[in-house]
Amino acid sequence: MPLFWKPYKSDVTRFIDELKASKPTLEAEQRAGRALLWDRALDRDALAEWREARVPQQPYVYQTKTP
């Protein structure tokens, strides 16, 4: 490894590092936002009912059914 070698950091990586340094609560806020939408307990009974009530889609959606 030459003496003048510097580890490369992309512009995006530098931007994210600067953003995290300027706003240290960013990751906690992101986790809180994720918890609002994604990290939820599933209601297994409701999910089973939803799957049972689902109607299978025909192979070609716009084709009418012929008797």
Side-chain angles (χ1 to χ4, degrees):
M1 184 176 339
L3 294 175
F4 55 86
W5 182 80
K6 290 185 201 174
Y8 173 75
K9 274 194 170 183
S10 70
D11 293 337
V12 175
T13 304
R14 279 188 276 142
F15 170 75
I16 291 173
D17 290 342
E18 290 172 10
L19 184 64
K20 286 181 181 180
S22 67
K23 192 171 183 183
T25 61
L26 181 66
E27 289 186 38
E29 291 174 13
Q30 287 177 331
R31 285 192 189 100
R34 176 192 164 125
L36 276 175
L37 298 174
W38 298 103
D39 298 337
R40 294 184 175 192
L42 295 176
D43 182 6
R44 303 279 182 192
D45 296 331
L47 190 59
E49 287 177 14
W50 179 79
R51 285 188 178 141
E52 289 173 7
R54 189 159 188 237
V55 177
Q57 185 175 354
Q58 9 178 31
Y60 184 68
V61 182
Y62 300 108
Q63 183 175 355
T64 56
K65 292 183 181 180
T66 56

